[in-house]
Amino acid sequence: MAGTIRPRDANELRRAVEWALNEGTTLDVRGQGSKIALGKPMDCGQVLDLSGISGIVDYAPEELVVTLRAGTPISEVEALLAQRNQMLAFEPPDLGPLLGLQAGQGTLVGAMMGNLAGPRRLSAGAARDHLLGFSGINGRGEAFKSGGRVMKNVTGYDLSKLLAGSWGTLAVLDQVSVKVLPVPDQTRTLLLLGLDDATAVRAMCAALGSPHEVSGAVHLPGRTALRIEGVAPSVEARLTALRELLADAGAGMEELGTLGSRTFWREVRDVAALKAASDTVVWKISCPPTEGPAIVARIRSQRPSVEAFYDWSGGLVWLALPQCVDADHELVRGAIGAKGGHATLIRAPEAVRAAVPVFQPQPAALAALASRVKESFDPKRLFNPGRMG
Amino acid sequence: MSKACRCLPETVPQVSAILRYCQDNKVKVVPRGAGTSLSGGSMPVGDAILLGLGKFNRVLEIDYANRSARVQPGVTNLGITKAVEHEGFYYAPDPSSQIACSIGGNVAENSGGVHCLKYGLTTNNLLGIEMVLMTGEVVRLGGKHLDSEGYDLLGVMTGSEGLLGVVTEVTVRLLRKPTTARAVLLGFPTEAAAADCVAAVIAAGIIPAGMEMMDKEAVKCAEAYVGAGYPLDAEGLLIVELDGPPVEVDHLVERVAEIARGRGATTVRVSNDEQERVLFWAGRKAAFPAVGQITPDYMCLDGSVPRGRLVEVLAEMREMSKQHRLRVVNVFHAGDGNLHPLILFDANDPDELHRAEEFGADILRLCVRVGGVLTGEHGVGIEKRDLMGVQFTEIDLDQQMRLKCAFDPDHLLNPGKVFPQLRRCAELGRVVIHHNKMPFPDIPRF
Ligand SMILES: Cc1cc2nc3c(=O)[nH]c(=O)nc-3n(C[C@H](O)[C@H](O)[C@H](O)COP(=O)(O)OP(=O)(O)OC[C@H]3O[C@@H](n4cnc5c(N)ncnc54)[C@H](O)[C@@H]3O)c2cc1C
């Protein structure tokens, strides 16, 4: 088993990377290791544990910005923001239970590195849209920074976007500044009952195409949910308008209040619907919203037992398929079709993840470009080698 | 290549052939949209091909169900909204230059506008692009789906100032027009009170669709230019727009008005109809040309600062104005702390020109000193290139240049922009390894 290095500050972190560079040792970069079961399995010389570089550096509620160290747990950040009635608007999911790990784990930077986002991705953007700036160490053992703490910034390349979603393969961050937003006064949910997939996605797209500012749209088997947030009089008016807009869909309607909504959308966020059967593999597909049902239908024609639900108005399809050696990756990716999209294998046994592409394979020119980008940060491929394969 | 020339391709294969030719023959290329950049972003350089994207001016596909539009890069920003507004949709980022500037230029600059406070910048409203690399290879990033696969190169391309590739197609997110929008004019007896009000609105948990500030001089110019009905006695004027269903707008207008009164507002006027709302904005949108009426020349800056530092930054700017003996007028995106100081001068007077440049640089240094940045939306271009060292270390800049090398190893695309000092990619690529060293015996290990 690989040993673990646990630096306590940015300077020790830099020296640890410098050491690895000199030794020619690869690094398995971890916050709390809450997503270690996601991505290609790796075989690294050392574990670089960031949990020792932790804590809030600065929180300015009136600026809507929090600055924190890389090892800070999400739970700590969320608790702090809650005191000032603010939140991480992109709703970082807790995938622990889905991945067969503990719930409530994970660092905010870890969620950033996976560019993970929950149902509010639709209206508030993904993790990448909330990362204002960072400092970190590149694969040359150099400390560098990008971005800042302000809302608008086009000074130099937007490396924050690039780092978000890079799964720790470009640089090791020691500190980030993240945009936060006020918690809406009220959250309510309109439930449409008994719609089939295609009708449900049509209804969700109609709702999203309305001026009623829907901040969540999910279709679970038998239940389609639309979230409305804001000040009380506005929420009331928009719910009424949505009921009228969707009356034609012919579905029974119910409503969830603020508390019920919080639980409901947390479960959507954490993919609770697919958690139970651990003998399945789990995929997520990002696609044009209207294409979701057709993609699922293609897969279902081959694998009738597939379980599916649609977040992001149909644009994020979660799938559970019976386990098999290749996770049906050709079937899943083949089903996406010409309208565009990509699939990521979220949960599968290690041997399966080692055997098949976990992330969507890219066309040659793009793959070559991505490889040059990787090299521009980490020329010796020290950080999480192969994780994004 | 001895002489500069201009190419106006019409197809992607033509763009590809041009770039490939340039790569093979080491010829420099400057991509150009509408040429409205305020940082000299698309300024031609002596020995480069100017690659105009003006003929890429078609809207290719509108998909209302998926709320997206696929357009060519030469389509104007407003052209997108014009193509979809009959169905009640629009494209949210709205730079003041929106009648003229191209969406390709918006991608390259990550442009913003007065409504970006609530709806985000170009980068937050972009779904995909097609672009041509210097090798002539054509790649697609993103599409109609959310979140591009692999590294977020779409995010990197946005705001890359034409240095990484030539954008040949853009897919943007469309939004449905809000049911109602109302603008509130708030006049304050001091600039500080106006700036304070901005922070207080945000602190109250209200994110208006837009929150703009104008100082007394800007108000005077705009009023003379368009007659928007602005209060001429105010030292600081805020225009705050609230949108949503009527009940929400009424509710928030009342809360904002209350916050403003608490900060000593002497004018509180709410637009009563669409015509009046547009009129309130007309003065703001015409503010630059309006200021242009009272000065032979002006220099527009674009620093961004934490909202909480606005008061002190504005005060310090007034001091600098005295030192440099030049007037400064402020019209800006207060809600997100993005300043647009306009320095008034006469370019025919070499001393004034020199002082204006010094004054501008001092303001940007001030922005960085209080925790802000050199540019919020106009880009570095040529204009702020030599100030990059104020915000970034050499290592920071080297890392950015290495990324540039991954796209353009010979520095052929839009040369002379953004980076104060170019270093060869081969030199940047070298890795130094110190053998025979045990650098960190004291870091905890397990
Ligand atoms: C009066 C006025 C008001 C303005 N108001 C605002 C404002 O409110 N907010 C704001 O953000 N900006 C504003 N601007 C600045 C400017 O309009 C924006 O930066 C705009 O996005 C530039 O678009 P353009 O088509 O004119 O690009 P150009 O000026 O032609 O080019 C700008 C940059 O983009 C690159 N480029 C252009 N097209 C492509 C392409 N297809 N592929 C790759 N690179 C490309 C160029 O190389 C250059 O680096 C204003 C400008 C003026 C003159």
Side-chain angles (χ1 to χ4, degrees), chain A residues 19 63 140 145 234 286 342, chain B residues 146-147 248 308 396 430 440:
Chain A
W19 169 83
E63 298 285 344
R140 299 161 175 274
K145 65 173 181 305
S234 170
S286 179
H342 53 93
Chain B
L146 291 172
D147 300 335
E248 173 176 340
D396 299 339
R430 245 173 253 142
F440 68 103

Side-chain angles (χ1 to χ4, degrees), chain A residues 3-8 12 15-16 19 21-23 62-64 115 121-122 126 128-129 138 140 142-145 150-159 161-162 164-166 169-170 181-182 205 208-211 213 231 233-234 237-238 286-290 312 340-342 360 362 365-366 369-370 372-374 376-377 379-380 388, chain B residues 65-67 89 109-110 118 121 123-124 137 139-141 144-147 149-153 155-156 160 163-164 173 176-177 202-203 205 207 245 247-248 304-308 333 336 338 371 373-377 379-380 388 391-393 395-396 399-400 402-404 406-407 419 428-431 433-434 439-440 442-446:
Chain A
T4 296
I5 321 172
R6 190 166 178 272
R8 290 160 298 194
E12 283 191 356
R15 286 161 57 214
W19 169 83
L21 180 68
N22 292 337
E23 298 285 312
E62 65 295 341
E63 298 285 344
L64 306 178
N115 192 28
R121 168 71 182 93
L122 276 181
R128 51 97 85 174
D129 297 292
N138 66 17
R140 299 161 175 274
E142 297 168 337
F144 74 110
K145 65 173 181 305
V150 289
M151 293 300 137
K152 281 174 80 174
N153 181 2
V154 294
T155 324
Y157 299 127
D158 192 350
L159 301 186
K161 298 281 183 304
L162 185 58
S166 68
T169 60
L170 296 177
L181 280 173
C205 288
L208 262 298
S210 78
E213 294 189 55
V231 292
S234 170
R238 280 142 68 212
S286 179
C287 61
T290 53
W312 300 355
H342 53 93
Q360 183 85 12
Q362 297 183 317
L366 190 52
L369 177 61
R372 295 197 296 276
V373 167
K374 158 83 176 166
S376 73
F377 284 85
K380 294 291 174 193
M388 282 185 82
Chain B
N66 288 311
R67 293 183 302 135
F89 286 82
E109 301 287 11
N110 189 16
K118 180 168 173 186
L121 308 163
T123 191
N124 313 108
E137 291 165 302
V139 298
R140 299 192 78 91
L141 306 171
K144 278 189 201 170
H145 52 278
L146 291 172
D147 300 335
E149 56 267 39
Y151 292 140
D152 188 358
L153 301 181
V156 172
S160 65
L163 268 75
L164 301 181
R173 175 177 77 142
R176 184 66 185 262
K177 274 238 152 70
I202 302 281
I207 311 287
V247 281
E248 173 176 340
S304 195
V305 299
R307 280 175 281 248
H333 312 302
D336 31 34
N338 185 192
V373 298
L374 297 173
T375 170
E377 60 180 14
V380 177
M388 286 290 271
Q391 191 179 323
F392 294 113
T393 66
I395 294 177
D396 299 339
Q399 182 56 62
Q400 297 199 27
R402 287 194 187 98
L403 179 64
K404 158 88 170 162
F407 288 79
F419 298 112
L428 285 164
R430 245 173 253 142
V431 187
I433 292 178
H434 310 276
F440 68 103
D442 52 336
I443 299 175
R445 294 209 220 184
F446 308 93

Side-chain angles (χ1 to χ4, degrees), chain B residues 52-87:
Chain B
L53 278 306
K55 290 192 173 173
F56 282 82
N57 58 5
R58 282 186 305 131
V59 173
L60 299 172
E61 185 196 354
I62 294 168
D63 181 346
Y64 293 110
N66 288 311
R67 293 183 302 135
S68 68
R70 195 159 61 84
V71 304
Q72 291 187 316
V75 171
T76 61
N77 171 292
L78 193 61
I80 302 179
T81 293
K82 289 274 177 225
V84 297
E85 66 186 358
H86 62 282
E87 293 284 339

Side-chain angles (χ1 to χ4, degrees), chain A residues 32-51:
Chain A
Q32 292 183 325
S34 72
K35 290 175 233 347
I36 199 61
L38 206 171
K40 290 290 266 189
M42 302 182 291
D43 182 18
C44 294
Q46 283 277 329
V47 171
L48 179 57
D49 173 356
L50 299 176
S51 62

